Amino acid sequence: MFDPFLPGLLFRLPETPRKIALVRASRIGDFVCATPAFRAIKNAFPLAEISLIAMPFVAELVNRSPQIDRFIPFPGFLGMAEQFFDPGKVVDFFQEMQAEQFDLAIQMHGSGVYSNPFTLMLGAKATAGFVRPGDPAGKLDAALPISATQNEVQKILSLVRFLGIEPQGETTEFPLWVEDLKAAEMLITTATKPLIGLHPGTREATKRWSAEKFIAVGKALQQEFGGTIVLLGGEEERQIAELIAANISQETLNLAGKTSLPELGAILARLALLITNDSGPAHIAYALSTPTITIFGGTDPQVWGSLNTDIHKTLLHKVPCHPCDRSTCSVGYLCLEGTTVTQVLETAKTLIQKVSITGKN
């Protein structure tokens, strides 16, 4: 019986895994942060079939990934993610998964309080994942205490390394196809350059800078650099994007709710600068090396910011209750309110000194 807290599980397995299940049932940004780990696993096991159990809205990204062979929709599970929990469907799901006879299942979803039971019920021959510091490994064959302060990319890679897999760099990925680039080009064909992107939305109010401040930043940057302010987001952000576009008197292009996820990525790749809340599009921009200013509220930039701080800048007004995992705030969103328009504009000018905003795109 091996100690599950000892590194090197893969060296202790009787056979090389041929079927591997990865559990990462969370948002778009979480998927992007895990791409270096996916790359390392595929490099270590090029002949294995690697399946990702994930939320339905990342299916298109999984199908484009050279590291993932198969997408399995996450069915929902008690305490996990934003998927409705239907016990009957989950029972059917586990029966199907156990029939797959995975050689290895790796929990990349978080502390493991709920996700480790889910992973164990897949019925794999060997299981690994994170646990909270001080918690037992339970039935896991390999357990790594999770860090609350480590950057998310490096955190997932630490699990990979713990298992005995050598990382293949920390660069995140967001695959774009030729048709994505062509579709994006059609959307921006008449827009005056440079293109300055604003992404004002997020699901949680604790991560959302005010529309009024986005308006002020958009106006000031356009006045100084010209070009087009491009509003970005999903259908749920269409209303706030329309408000901001209507209040920036000069040239704007509102694409919120008008692009697929890959097309959004292709638009982000064309931007000279993106100003955004901590969100999925921020992580896509990091992967595509688009200069970015990310305004943080409740979340921690040390964990969720880009590792490339040369062209990806973060702004945070630190308050005693930071960080938090709340969706709303009872003390007036002081962390967000403390980040000023002036700070964003000054940071933008710092970035412009590194990357010629008028020369890109």
Side-chain angles (χ1 to χ4, degrees):
M1 188 72 177
F2 291 99
D3 182 350
F5 291 102
L6 288 178
L9 169 68
L10 296 178
F11 302 118
R12 302 193 292 268
L13 296 179
E15 297 179 336
T16 300
R18 300 303 297 263
K19 293 188 70 172
I20 301 173
L22 309 177
V23 179
R24 184 76 168 167
S26 42
R27 301 182 186 180
I28 293 165
D30 301 85
F31 174 87
V32 175
C33 285
T35 53
F38 300 156
R39 182 170 62 241
I41 294 168
K42 190 62 176 179
N43 182 73
F45 302 105
L47 300 180
E49 180 190 66
I50 299 174
S51 301
L52 180 68
I53 301 173
M55 297 292 283
F57 48 72
V58 302
E60 191 168 12
L61 300 184
V62 175
N63 292 334
R64 290 162 171 258
S65 171
Q67 286 89 33
I68 305 297
D69 301 298
R70 180 183 174 201
F71 170 72
I72 300 175
F74 175 66
F77 192 69
L78 190 65
M80 283 180 67
E82 303 154 11
Q83 191 88 340
F84 179 73
F85 176 57
D86 183 330
K89 289 184 178 179
V90 171
V91 169
D92 292 341
F93 172 82
F94 283 130
Q95 289 177 340
E96 293 172 8
M97 292 299 100
Q98 290 166 17
E100 293 279 347
Q101 297 186 325
F102 292 111
D103 297 308
L104 175 64
I106 305 174
Q107 184 274 110
M108 300 177 163
H109 186 76
S111 68
V113 174
Y114 301 103
S115 51
N116 283 339
F118 175 87
T119 303
L120 287 163
M121 291 178 72
L122 299 175
K125 295 176 184 176
T127 54
F130 289 111
V131 294
R132 292 183 301 187
D135 277 3
K139 295 292 186 179
L140 293 178
D141 297 290
L144 178 66
I146 195 168
S147 168
T149 59
Q150 192 175 19
N151 182 274
E152 188 68 12
V153 171
Q154 295 173 329
K155 182 186 302 179
I156 305 302
L157 281 175
S158 70
L159 178 60
V160 167
R161 187 181 289 108
F162 173 74
L163 297 178
I165 298 171
E166 187 62 32
Q168 303 297 303
E170 297 178 338
T171 304
T172 56
E173 299 178 18
F174 189 88
L176 292 175
W177 292 350
V178 172
E179 49 264 43
D180 307 326
L181 300 172
K182 288 181 178 178
E185 210 51 54
M186 291 293 292
L187 290 170
I188 62 174
T189 186
T190 60
T192 305
K193 297 174 182 178
L195 307 179
I196 301 173
L198 301 182
H199 179 252
T202 60
R203 298 185 186 187
E204 296 91 352
T206 50
K207 298 167 66 175
R208 194 181 308 134
W209 207 43
S210 72
E212 292 75 20
K213 290 182 178 179
F214 271 106
I215 291 167
V217 164
K219 284 182 174 180
L221 289 176
Q222 193 169 61
Q223 183 176 2
E224 184 158 355
F225 298 106
T228 303
I229 300 297
V230 183
L231 280 300
L232 299 164
E235 182 62 38
E236 66 278 8
E237 291 147 342
R238 186 190 291 266
Q239 188 173 359
I240 190 173
E242 288 175 350
L243 172 67
I244 293 171
N247 282 276
I248 298 176
S249 58
Q250 300 184 50
E251 189 173 357
T252 61
L253 176 61
N254 184 4
L255 297 180
K258 300 177 182 178
T259 62
S260 66
L261 189 56
E263 289 168 357
L264 172 61
I267 294 290
L268 289 169
R270 292 288 189 268
L271 298 180
L273 174 67
L274 172 67
I275 300 172
T276 177
N277 300 307
D278 177 30
S279 60
H283 289 281
I284 296 171
Y286 303 159
L288 296 171
S289 297
T290 294
T292 309
I293 299 171
T294 305
I295 300 156
F296 278 80
T299 48
D300 188 348
Q302 181 176 327
V303 176
W304 295 105
S306 172
L307 292 169
N308 179 2
T309 57
D310 191 43
I311 63 169
H312 303 303
K313 303 297 182 182
T314 61
L315 289 174
L316 168 68
H317 179 71
K318 198 73 178 287
V319 293
C321 54
H322 182 272
C324 78
D325 58 0
R326 299 176 182 272
S327 58
T328 59
C329 176
S330 60
V331 296
Y333 302 96
L334 299 178
C335 54
L336 288 165
E337 290 299 317
T339 298
T340 67
V341 170
T342 299
Q343 288 174 313
V344 174
L345 293 174
E346 288 176 349
T347 306
K349 291 176 183 178
T350 300
L351 266 181
I352 291 163
Q353 292 174 357
K354 295 179 178 292
V355 181
S356 176
I357 194 170
T358 54
K360 185 185 178 186
N361 300 325

